[in-house]
Amino acid sequence: MQLLEERILKDGQILGDNILKVDSFLTHQVDYKLMKAIGKVFAEAYKEAGITKVVTIEASGIAPAAYAAEALDVPMIFAKKHKNITMTEGILTAEVYSFTKQVTSTVSIAGKFLDKDDKVLIVDDFLANGQAAKGLIEIIEQAGAAVEGVGIVIEKSFQDGRQLIEDMGVKVTSLARIAKFEDGKLVFAQADA
Amino acid sequence: MQLLEERILKDGQILGDNILKVDSFLTHQVDYKLMKAIGKVFAEAYKEAGITKVVTIEASGIAPAAYAAEALDVPMIFAKKHKNITMTEGILTAEVYSFTKQVTSTVSIAGKFLDKDDKVLIVDDFLANGQAAKGLIEIIEQAGAAVEGVGIVIEKSFQDGRQLIEDMGVKVTSLARIAKFEDGKLVFAQADA
């Protein structure tokens, strides 16, 4: 997605060896126009898939997922990273290991929002090690629903998340793919959409 | 907001004495059509205020805040509840006490996204004790920016959050106001918009 790659080059900050900070338009401050455009590209990529739900994980995935849901005209569900006193019945969970934080957390979705007829598009802001997406796939499959694809705003292609998800038999659609960081600059790989 | 009150009566669940669960359209599964309508009502209520930023707090505030930002054509910022390795410079923080969880957490916004010329609309899903909104007001005022109002999707009017915010000199605009729970049913107070 050219608009996104241009925005990353313009406003993204490279910290250290392999951290890209995009907090001015995606992960902290959010540019709704870009999110809307991103939602439309995801919807276009999955327009033949009969998507019935968009699933993401709190918090940075919510804005792009909401606009993808709008473009597909379906509900969006955001998985919870923390337990909640009002989540009591039929909770589906998966353990997600964070390599950056070196902790395992429990991600959950109320089972009543997914059923075996659902065709789900997962949307998330970043794909690096793929642990969050893997956890979401596990939860959706526990519900007997089908995962039609994983839509990613920014993929770190030098990490193994994409391979992990594809090895689970799930298609990955990344709008920007970072091949590597070289001399403090980003090198993109060919994006999927 | 009549559409919202009708939706709360139709799909909200009352748990125990005073918990309203709206996870089918706001706090877990999200109805983008309703969020879009909510965003427009907030924008209409603040159309004369010269709003330059919408600020919310992760996670359930993000969807209504994004659509309010869209309707006002301004950026949205979501405050973080947890520290993040890529948030390094000029962080503004406030301590927020949760009565339900009985813990104090640190809420933060990168100072670079707020300046003294900003006129901010805070948007959040619930107003109960008002601690989250109070923390956001403190952060925005640290930046020297003006808080023009707090837009709330569902206010629990039997708790003291509204009074707390109004005592800080900030206007509250709640789209649905729950006066009380009576015999397992909701009684609404007059909403602000």
Side-chain angles (χ1 to χ4, degrees), chain A residues 127 137 150 155 160-173 177 192:
Chain A
L127 177 66
I137 292 169
V150 175
E155 175 189 314
D160 50 11
R162 187 187 185 98
Q163 192 61 51
L164 178 75
I165 303 309
E166 288 180 345
D167 287 348
M168 294 176 85
V170 175
K171 180 178 163 187
V172 177
T173 305
R177 301 181 66 209
D192 301 304

Side-chain angles (χ1 to χ4, degrees), chain A residues 42 46 121-125 149-153 171-175:
Chain A
F42 284 137
Y46 287 88
L121 173 62
I122 292 170
V123 168
D124 209 358
D125 57 336
V150 175
I152 296 294
V153 181
K171 180 178 163 187
V172 177
T173 305
S174 298
L175 305 191

Side-chain angles (χ1 to χ4, degrees), chain B residues 147-179:
Chain B
V147 180
E148 297 296 320
V150 175
I152 295 295
V153 181
I154 302 175
E155 175 189 314
K156 292 179 168 177
S157 306
F158 54 88
Q159 291 185 258
D160 51 11
R162 187 189 186 96
Q163 192 62 50
L164 179 75
I165 303 310
E166 289 180 344
D167 286 349
M168 295 175 84
V170 176
K171 180 179 164 186
V172 177
T173 305
S174 298
L175 306 191
R177 301 181 67 209
I178 300 169

Side-chain angles (χ1 to χ4, degrees), chain B residues 94-107 129-132 134-135:
Chain B
E95 300 298 304
V96 172
Y97 180 72
S98 166
F99 285 91
T100 39
K101 295 177 188 162
Q102 299 192 322
V103 291
T104 297
S105 58
T106 302
V107 169
N129 295 294
Q131 298 300 307
K134 174 171 170 277

Side-chain angles (χ1 to χ4, degrees), chain B residues 84-115:
Chain B
N84 185 305
I85 52 165
T86 66
M87 280 181 79
T88 47
E89 2 140 20
I91 304 304
L92 306 174
T93 63
E95 300 298 304
V96 172
Y97 180 72
S98 166
F99 285 91
T100 39
K101 295 177 188 162
Q102 299 192 322
V103 291
T104 297
S105 58
T106 302
V107 169
S108 57
I109 295 180
K112 64 181 174 180
F113 296 128
L114 290 170
D115 71 38

Side-chain angles (χ1 to χ4, degrees), chain A residues 48-65:
Chain A
E48 309 294 347
I51 301 296
T52 60
K53 299 269 167 68
V54 171
V55 168
T56 188
I57 186 166
E58 58 184 10
S60 301
I62 293 176

